[in-house]
Structures are given as structure tokens and as C-alpha cells.
Amino acid sequence: MVAGLTACTAAEGAESPTPSPTDTAAPEAAASATPTPTPTATKRLRRTFIPDFQLPPIVGGLAPVITKIPTKHPIVFLTIDDGNIKTPESVKLMAEYDYPASLFLTRDTIADNPAFFNAFKAQGSLVENHTVTHNINMVRQWGYQQQVNDMVGMQEYALQHYGRRPTLFRPPGGAYSNVMRQAVADAGMKAIVTWEAKANAGKMDYQVGNSLRPGDIVLMHFRAEFAADLGAFRAAQLAAGLEVVLLEDFLGVA
């Protein structure tokens, strides 16, 4: 069995599914003969949602596949892939919007500057596994051992650079199989994560409906159009009245 979605390709416009988110203003300083430091604006506290969904367990040695979270809470999950383009603007925007995200990074695309992603980690995001090599055909070209080796390589790299082994896996290109599900479980991860909505080329694309829904997992990429994509996601998130929550927190695998 091979199932999944097309992603992480050079021409995102060609993607198509395959079967199978207020700072409290600082109070004005009272007039004083002695100047006092300007108060710093404080981040708002994110709402805490009690999870109403439990991550399915590994059964028969196969990791579960999560495409959307069935929840009644007004929440949405942001995931950002690869790590090709690294700009200060992306760090600034994520901090400005106060968005936590699951960063599905690929070793070969971040190896030139792995420390760049520490800024996102400091903001509350987590690094997850998107393989070492990003072979979008791995599910068809590679057997179990090659797949698990590529996953374990990223597990160890993430631990070395970010102090945590990933708990979630995103397949390059989105396709998965039972062999991959076994490899994910044996590499020490809890689930494969796909999506039904993505921010791409400055707009939102939906596999279901025409707006964000509670529990949607949104795909983005670290690309040159990061600002436009994040802007499209933000407009959709606010229009839907949803809070951006860290997927790992909600699933209990942070």
C-alpha cells in the first residue's frame, strides 16, 4: 500500500492530493524626575486546551497516520517543512504572530546552518523528522532498512543540534506505506503526520472545503515566499477564528 500527498517539490503549483496561531501594551511610564526603564511589552498567554483527541498507539508495529485532528476546540496546527531558505524575516514574523510550529526539517537542507532554527525553538516550536536526504520516492525506491536508516540519521542529528529526538515524521512528498509506518515506529517516532490544507504561493489550498476547520494540520515550507505564505495562513486562521496550537503539545508528544 502506498498512500499520501504530493509535497516538498520544486514546483508547488503542481501539487495535488494522491488517493490512499495581542501583545499587552506596556503601561505608560509615570512622569518622574528620574528616568526609568521603558517597560517591555509582554507576550500574551496562549489559551490552554484540554485535548479531546488521543494519539492512536502503534499497533502491529505500525505507526499511526494523522492527517487532521478531530477536535471541537477552535484550534489549528502549523507545520513548516524542509528548511531550504533561512531568512531573519521568517524568524521575525513567527515571533510577531506568536506562532508555535512543528518544523519538519531535512538534514541535508539545514546542514549549512542548523543553528538558524534555534530561534524558532526559543519561540516555542519543535523540530521534527523529515529525513536526512529528502528522497521523495523513498516509499517506492527503498526497502525497510534504507528508510529506517534515513529516519534514524535525522533523529540523531536533531538530538545533537536541538537536544530532542523527534516524535513525529513527515514523509518527503507525503506518500507512505506500511513498510514506512513500521520504519517510523522502529526509528522511535509516534506517528506519521500529513495534512489537508497548505499555504503555498501566497494563498491557501484546501483538500476539503474552502476555509480552515478546527483541527486542520497546515503545511508550509521554508521558501523565498515564506512571508506571503504565512500571511495567507494568518488571514485564513483569523477569518476562521482559530488559535494556533503546537501539535506536539496537543498530542502529548512534545
Side-chain angles (χ1 to χ4, degrees):
M1 175 192 74
V2 175
L5 310 154
T6 303
C8 310
T9 56
E12 277 296 307
E15 284 190 23
S16 62
T18 303
S20 10
T22 52
D23 288 340
T24 302
E28 294 183 6
S32 170
T34 303
T36 57
T38 303
T40 301
T42 57
K43 271 183 178 283
R44 64 174 174 80
L45 293 176
R46 294 191 184 100
R47 292 175 59 188
T48 299
F49 296 94
I50 299 175
D52 54 357
F53 170 78
Q54 186 172 1
L55 181 66
I58 293 170
V59 176
L62 305 181
V65 179
I66 306 299
T67 299
K68 182 182 184 298
I69 303 298
T71 179
K72 295 181 179 179
H73 294 306
I75 58 178
V76 65
F77 306 97
L78 179 62
T79 67
I80 314 178
D81 283 14
D82 300 346
N84 300 71
I85 304 298
K86 310 166 186 66
T87 65
E89 180 185 35
S90 61
V91 178
K92 179 178 179 294
L93 287 171
M94 289 291 285
E96 179 182 336
Y97 298 154
D98 194 19
Y99 286 164
S102 304
L103 311 181
F104 288 92
L105 303 182
T106 299
R107 191 200 68 182
D108 287 356
T109 63
I110 67 172
D112 60 329
N113 188 11
F116 172 79
F117 297 94
N118 284 326
F120 300 100
K121 179 183 170 185
Q123 295 169 6
S125 296
L126 288 178
V127 171
E128 298 295 355
N129 194 318
H130 199 36
T131 73
V132 167
T133 63
H134 201 278
N135 177 4
I136 62 172
N137 295 310
M138 66 185 294
V139 72
R140 295 179 177 87
Q141 293 178 344
W142 291 354
Y144 165 83
Q145 195 59 56
Q146 281 181 292
Q147 291 188 36
V148 78
N149 288 347
D150 212 30
M151 295 172 192
V152 169
M154 185 58 200
Q155 290 292 93
E156 298 306 318
Y157 189 84
L159 177 63
Q160 176 187 356
H161 288 279
Y162 308 112
R164 170 184 174 272
R165 283 191 177 88
T167 57
L168 302 176
F169 179 76
R170 172 159 287 156
Y176 60 87
S177 66
N178 280 345
V179 170
M180 178 176 282
R181 292 174 65 193
Q182 180 186 354
V184 168
D186 290 348
M189 290 175 282
K190 303 293 186 182
I192 291 174
V193 176
T194 60
W195 66 93
E196 286 186 346
K198 67 173 181 276
N200 174 60
K203 62 183 179 65
M204 292 297 298
D205 294 330
Y206 303 100
Q207 294 175 35
V208 179
N210 56 9
S211 63
L212 287 177
R213 305 161 298 160
D216 270 340
I217 297 170
V218 178
L219 168 69
M220 255 188 66
H221 293 84
F222 283 102
R223 290 193 175 127
E225 59 269 29
F226 185 96
D229 290 352
L230 194 64
F233 168 72
R234 181 166 178 79
Q237 170 241 326
L238 294 176
L242 302 176
E243 177 96 8
V244 179
V245 173
L246 187 66
L247 180 60
E248 292 88 339
D249 282 345
F250 202 75
L251 294 178
V253 296

